[in-house]
Amino acid sequence: MGAPIRSRLLDFVEPDPPGPSVPGQDPPRSQLLDLVAAAPPPDAGADDRARPRPGVPAYHTPVCVPAHPRSVAGTGTDGRPARVPFIVLELFEHPEHGAVAFAFSTPRGLADALGEAQPWVAASLGPLAENVAGQGVPVLLDPAITPGEPHWRPSDVAAYAREVRR
């Protein structure tokens, strides 16, 4: 098996300059997992975790979803202009279903269908299906796509990265 497939957007972004390091100090990390580990196990009868509605795929099913970063002009915490980043799921036009979201079981399946330069995010199929269903958009899992011109090319990713850096 070859190297894992990944979005190539970061190939065109300059790395952050190295920050000052403090000898003997560990880098900061989230304490969320410490809180989870310290919490008592939930009572089986009182388990109130979100569950999928009937007809919605299992929440834990991982999928690769075509998506890309965006940003809008905003104001930073210091009151100065700043870019506010977010992720946009890409929708596609389907001849029978109208606008659809694609989801792929593997990164290789996504790259084979949409091209090596296609940006994507990992998601859980259940929440994805519920969220886009609220907009009237179905999710097609591992759709059969006629080979053709890739949706994103390396030059598109490079141009997008230059635009984001402005």
Side-chain angles (χ1 to χ4, degrees):
M1 179 170 223
I5 304 303
R6 63 179 177 79
S7 170
R8 295 176 61 182
L9 181 64
L10 295 179
D11 293 347
F12 302 98
V13 176
E14 296 173 12
D16 290 335
S21 62
V22 178
Q25 183 177 9
D26 292 332
R29 68 178 190 85
S30 171
Q31 294 181 352
L32 183 60
L33 293 179
D34 295 339
L35 296 173
V36 171
D43 177 23
D47 187 1
D48 61 351
R49 289 181 290 172
R51 303 275 189 229
R53 293 190 309 262
V56 173
Y59 267 40
H60 64 278
T61 307
V63 291
C64 304
V65 182
H68 61 274
R70 289 272 189 203
S71 64
V72 294
T75 304
T77 56
D78 59 0
R80 294 189 305 184
R83 300 297 296 176
V84 179
F86 59 97
I87 300 292
V88 175
L89 296 179
E90 293 187 18
L91 300 180
F92 298 86
E93 192 63 32
H94 189 275
E96 296 173 22
H97 304 291
V100 298
F102 290 160
F104 296 88
S105 301
T106 65
R108 179 80 258 153
L110 181 139
D112 288 346
L114 300 175
E116 295 282 337
Q118 174 65 50
W120 59 275
V121 296
S124 292
L125 186 55
L128 171 68
E130 281 189 326
N131 287 329
V132 297
Q135 306 298 318
V137 175
V139 175
L140 299 182
L141 181 61
D142 293 323
I145 298 174
T146 305
E149 188 67 25
H151 190 63
W152 285 73
R153 294 178 299 279
S155 59
D156 298 327
V157 176
Y160 185 77
R162 281 191 301 275
E163 184 66 28
V164 169
R165 283 193 292 241
R166 287 185 189 195

